[in-house]
Amino acid sequence: MDKPEQQVPVADGTVPETPRTRLVAIMLGPPGAGKGTQARRVEAEFGVPHISTGDILRDHVARDTELGRQAREYMDRGELVPDQLIIDLIADRIGQPDAAEGFLLDGFPRTLQQAVSFEELLSQKKLLLDVVVSIEVEDEQLIERISGRYLCRECGRDTNVAGMDSLPETCPQCGGELYQREDDRAETVENRLQVYRGQTAPLVDYYKGKGLLREVDGSGSVEEVTGRLVEVLEGG
Ligand code: AMP
């Protein structure tokens, strides 16, 4: 992306007003579009962490924290967790040292309120949003991808079993135990898609209006989509 030259601390040791960021990007797209898979593949390339609100919430649920207990009922129904809980979670996460030079957001923001609060957080931190990528996939393909998706309890990566003759016994990447997300079951998936269309899809127009939106075709192989995504992230 076109970035200003890195600012160095001035002679009196004060920190420059606008820190250089490598990349601040949002990945938008319906459940099953491949946001998490793709963000994990490109995070190292851009040297910024992938931040998934869904992963953070699932970790809280697994550890049975107060936040996990509050979030769980919404997640199991495929509904959105209340905005304020998510905004507090993101404020905390992007305040961590590894996020000082940018991050790739996956699954956030999901409502207009979250988008507006995020802008306030960014301006407090003197960061700029570079790009919002919308990964576009047909509904039929989304449902196929979600219903074949299994996660690993050890490494958190997903394996898609669609097209395989039988479910692999363990994670092909690390040998950990595989499980299906509660909210990936067919009963909940349709609700998640409706929630996306009703509450999150309007963000596509919101960011289009700000000139930040780039659409990426999410069909085809994982590698093909990564190629398109990297091009967009590099080009701004
Ligand atoms: P994901 O892994 O991104 O599909 O998220 C799984 C679930 O976590 C969602 O269906 C919501 O219940 C909850 N969640 C994740 N991110 C958010 C968010 N930004 N706002 C509200 N709820 C969220």
Side-chain angles (χ1 to χ4, degrees), residues 142-193:
L142 292 174
I143 292 168
E144 198 182 295
R145 286 188 189 175
I146 296 177
S147 52
R149 172 162 76 180
Y150 281 74
L151 291 192
C152 172
R153 283 199 203 282
E154 301 300 321
C155 70
R157 289 173 191 275
D158 48 295
T159 294
N160 207 300
V161 303
M164 292 185 188
D165 294 336
S166 59
L167 180 65
E169 285 183 8
T170 52
C171 169
Q173 335 248 7
C174 78
E177 185 194 346
L178 292 177
Y179 72 102
Q180 188 174 32
R181 271 170 56 171
E182 197 62 43
D183 61 348
D184 276 353
R185 294 175 200 274
E187 320 77 91
T188 319
V189 169
E190 187 48 44
N191 193 27
R192 287 169 64 208
L193 287 174

Side-chain angles (χ1 to χ4, degrees), residues 27 31 35-36 40 50-63 67-68 71-72 74-76 79-81 85-86 89-90 93 104-110 114 149 151 156 179 181-184 192:
M27 315 263 291
K35 302 183 294 293
R40 269 189 284 273
H50 156 222
I51 298 179
S52 154
T53 42
D55 283 352
I56 298 173
L57 290 170
R58 278 185 288 281
D59 178 58
H60 277 273
V61 170
R63 290 187 288 119
L67 172 60
R72 185 176 188 156
Y74 298 96
M75 295 171 77
D76 284 351
E79 284 164 17
L80 295 185
V81 172
L85 291 179
I86 299 289
L89 180 159
I90 278 289
R93 181 63 187 89
L104 270 173
L105 290 172
D106 152 18
F108 175 89
R110 261 174 152 104
Q114 291 181 16
R149 172 162 76 180
L151 291 192
Y179 72 102
R181 271 170 56 171
E182 197 62 43
D183 61 348
D184 276 353
R192 287 169 64 208

